[in-house]
Amino acid sequence: MNAEFPPTADFSVVPLETEVVIVGGGIVGVSTALFLAQKGVPVVLCEKGTLGEEQSGRNWGWVRKMGRDPREVPLMKHAMELWGRMQQMVGADVGFRVRGITYFVNEEPDLVRYEAWMKEVAQFDLDTRWVSKAEINSFAPGATRQFGGGLHTASDGFAEPHIATTLIGRGAARLGARIIEGCAVRGFETEGGRVSEVVTEKGRIKCKHVVLAGGIWSSLFARSVDVKMPQLKMLSQVMRTRPISGGPQGCGSGPGFGFRERLDGGYNVGMRSAHPVDIVPDSFRYLKDYVPALKNEWRAMKFRIGRRTFQEVGMEKGWRLDQRSPFEKYRIMRPEPGHKILDQATINIKKLFPQFKDMVVNERMSAWIDVSPDAIPVISPVEAIPGFYISTGYSGHGFGIAPAAGQLMAEMITGEAPVVDPTPFRHSRFIDGSTIKHWPIGF
């Protein structure tokens, strides 16, 4: 048992029965467990590795409304409210701070790319505003470049990813959720067409509902039960520095750089739009679904044949529920960062901010982002299998929106009125062909 968790958390024994089983212990999984536990719903979360060890604990940590697909904005506005109450909800500081986020552009005409988004989100009364060339450098003190302007959202902020994921899981456990690490879910059984039990490596659990919150693993899991869940993976990488004095506050990004202030005085540093993409069998399986995304994103994608290519080829043959699954073979994905990208990010940030000239990097981190064809998540029941729900495809936006996504999923399961209209996040959009406009990933 992990000593950091309360006695109600059990990391070794699976119960014979529960109401809901959550597959995956990332930020979305633990948030869903938290809200189910708040409602008194018996819930077991099974994580094949340890909580928050993949993308949920290795991301930039931004918590933002700015730049989101307009379909996500209502849910994200609610998520900001939840982040503001999270310390009270879980009884610990998850590192959430409102420090503002700024998008920088080199030349004033470059602001045109944001005009369509600003018009679309005007209905939501955000505090995002245009920043003039005369004002923009106040958000980048000491910068050696005169920017042409940008966008700024004062009410956006950040949290500490691994800390937040772990503490939200701990909060769910305090409320009665059972958290089981090192426990891969191989699949589930049905009875009369409905979910009846999950099969884990540690035993079977009878249940009425299964929530698939498996991040990059979700497409593979869904395919094993004959459910289409188009999903591809992009590599995200970021550096964690030692404390730096006099640097910019909050978060910001622009051509060739991105940063996020950390509570320890250091920074997360990287490049906003530079993502290696391994070519895998799903690249061909879902090619038609991703044509619109490729048209928008191909400049930010660096296609390659990599280690993940051969791993996924080996997963194509499938597995039986009494066999060791790929989720047990590959418990935690810790991919090698794109060092050329981070090397260039280092050069860029040092050139831009003299405060960073002697920066010391403690860690280079990388993780796979699960990307849906239209770059917004699935938070939805699966119509073909009553009792089966999916919460995945957050496309690099998942950390910030996760608390509200967890609440929305909990409301779906309990039949309560949803906090926002869930229609944009329905799984059936990939079946009936109703996917629509694709906004740039990481806009």
Side-chain angles (χ1 to χ4, degrees):
M1 181 181 296
N2 188 327
E4 293 184 352
F5 281 76
T8 52
D10 192 331
F11 291 83
S12 59
V13 179
V14 297
L16 296 177
E17 188 172 358
T18 192
E19 186 79 12
V20 182
V21 173
I22 298 172
V23 182
I27 187 70
V28 171
V30 295
S31 295
T32 304
L34 177 68
F35 284 96
L36 285 169
Q38 279 187 344
K39 297 173 186 297
V41 177
V43 56
V44 175
L45 183 150
C46 296
E47 162 56 43
K48 60 183 174 54
T50 53
L51 297 186
E53 282 297 324
E54 294 188 323
Q55 173 64 3
S56 291
R58 303 167 73 80
N59 61 73
W60 287 59
W62 289 26
V63 177
R64 63 180 173 88
K65 301 177 295 296
M66 186 165 66
R68 283 190 177 268
D69 188 298
R71 292 165 290 183
E72 288 185 338
V73 171
L75 191 62
M76 186 59 220
K77 288 183 69 176
H78 184 64
M80 293 297 294
E81 296 176 13
L82 294 176
W83 277 111
R85 304 201 308 265
M86 191 59 69
Q87 180 169 345
Q88 179 183 359
M89 291 167 65
V90 304
D93 183 2
V94 298
F96 176 65
R97 301 291 188 273
V98 174
R99 299 281 175 81
I101 293 179
T102 308
Y103 288 170
F104 300 84
V105 299
N106 280 340
E107 303 294 337
E108 198 166 357
D110 295 338
L111 289 170
V112 172
R113 68 186 291 249
Y114 297 127
E115 285 183 355
W117 181 81
M118 288 287 278
K119 289 178 182 178
E120 289 240 15
V121 301
Q123 61 183 305
F124 301 120
D125 194 29
L126 303 181
D127 63 328
T128 301
R129 65 182 181 88
W130 300 102
V131 180
S132 69
K133 181 176 181 179
E135 183 187 4
I136 189 66
N137 275 50
S138 67
F139 297 105
T144 59
R145 184 188 309 171
Q146 176 60 59
F147 292 103
L151 292 184
H152 179 73
T153 305
S155 62
D156 281 349
F158 62 83
E160 295 296 341
H162 194 272
I163 292 171
T165 303
T166 302
L167 291 177
I168 293 171
R170 186 186 302 175
R174 283 200 188 94
L175 293 172
R178 181 172 289 193
I179 311 292
I180 308 176
E181 293 184 318
C183 182
V185 176
R186 295 171 176 172
F188 61 79
E189 305 271 23
T190 60
E191 188 173 304
R194 293 189 58 87
V195 168
S196 60
E197 65 179 356
V198 299
V199 180
T200 81
E201 64 178 299
K202 295 185 177 182
R204 292 173 176 258
I205 309 172
K206 290 186 180 297
C207 62
K208 296 179 181 178
H209 310 279
V210 173
V211 178
L212 175 58
I216 63 167
W217 299 94
S218 298
S219 183
L220 178 65
F221 186 100
R223 193 163 70 248
S224 74
V225 291
D226 297 320
V227 171
K228 178 184 179 182
M229 180 56 238
Q231 181 186 61
L232 294 179
K233 307 163 189 69
M234 299 196 321
L235 194 66
S236 172
Q237 48 272 310
V238 66
M239 296 176 286
R240 178 173 62 86
T241 79
R242 292 185 183 178
I244 294 173
S245 299
Q249 282 198 337
C251 313
S253 67
F257 72 94
F259 64 83
R260 192 265 286 182
E261 180 186 8
R262 297 174 58 92
L263 294 185
D264 61 9
Y267 282 80
N268 278 11
V269 175
M271 293 177 66
R272 187 175 75 190
S273 298
H275 302 288
V277 179
D278 283 355
I279 298 172
V280 297
D282 280 350
S283 304
F284 305 98
R285 181 178 285 115
Y286 299 127
L287 179 61
K288 184 178 178 181
D289 297 281
Y290 281 86
V291 168
L294 290 171
K295 289 179 179 178
N296 278 291
E297 297 292 337
W298 66 270
R299 289 184 179 88
M301 297 178 180
K302 302 180 183 300
F303 293 97
R304 67 185 190 182
I305 301 293
R307 182 179 180 184
R308 184 77 188 180
T309 303
F310 299 101
Q311 289 174 340
E312 295 205 18
V313 167
M315 298 175 192
E316 285 293 296
K317 62 182 180 180
W319 62 95
R320 299 194 313 266
L321 296 184
D322 62 351
Q323 289 180 323
R324 187 168 180 256
S325 67
F327 314 118
E328 294 150 80
K329 184 176 181 181
Y330 303 106
R331 291 199 181 271
I332 299 174
M333 281 292 176
R334 293 192 180 96
E336 186 72 10
H339 290 295
K340 288 183 178 180
I341 293 171
L342 293 180
D343 288 345
Q344 187 60 53
T346 300
I347 293 170
N348 294 350
I349 201 78
K350 287 184 175 183
K351 183 177 180 181
L352 178 62
F353 292 107
Q355 304 96 311
F356 285 73
K357 63 182 177 64
D358 297 320
M359 78 176 192
V360 177
V361 174
N362 278 351
E363 183 180 16
R364 288 185 168 195
M365 301 180 289
S366 188
W368 293 106
I369 298 172
D370 53 313
V371 181
S372 69
D374 53 4
I376 66 169
V378 172
I379 311 170
S380 172
V382 176
E383 294 177 0
I385 307 177
F388 183 36
Y389 299 79
I390 295 178
S391 188
T392 194
Y394 286 83
S395 306
H397 313 159
F399 178 71
I401 207 169
Q407 179 178 340
L408 181 60
M409 177 57 70
E411 291 165 345
M412 289 179 177
I413 291 170
T414 59
E416 298 174 66
V419 64
V420 301
D421 179 10
T423 303
F425 312 116
R426 67 195 183 282
H427 171 259
S428 61
R429 72 187 192 265
F430 301 127
I431 309 302
D432 60 26
S434 59
T435 51
I436 52 176
K437 182 177 177 64
H438 177 281
W439 288 89
I441 296 169
F443 170 92

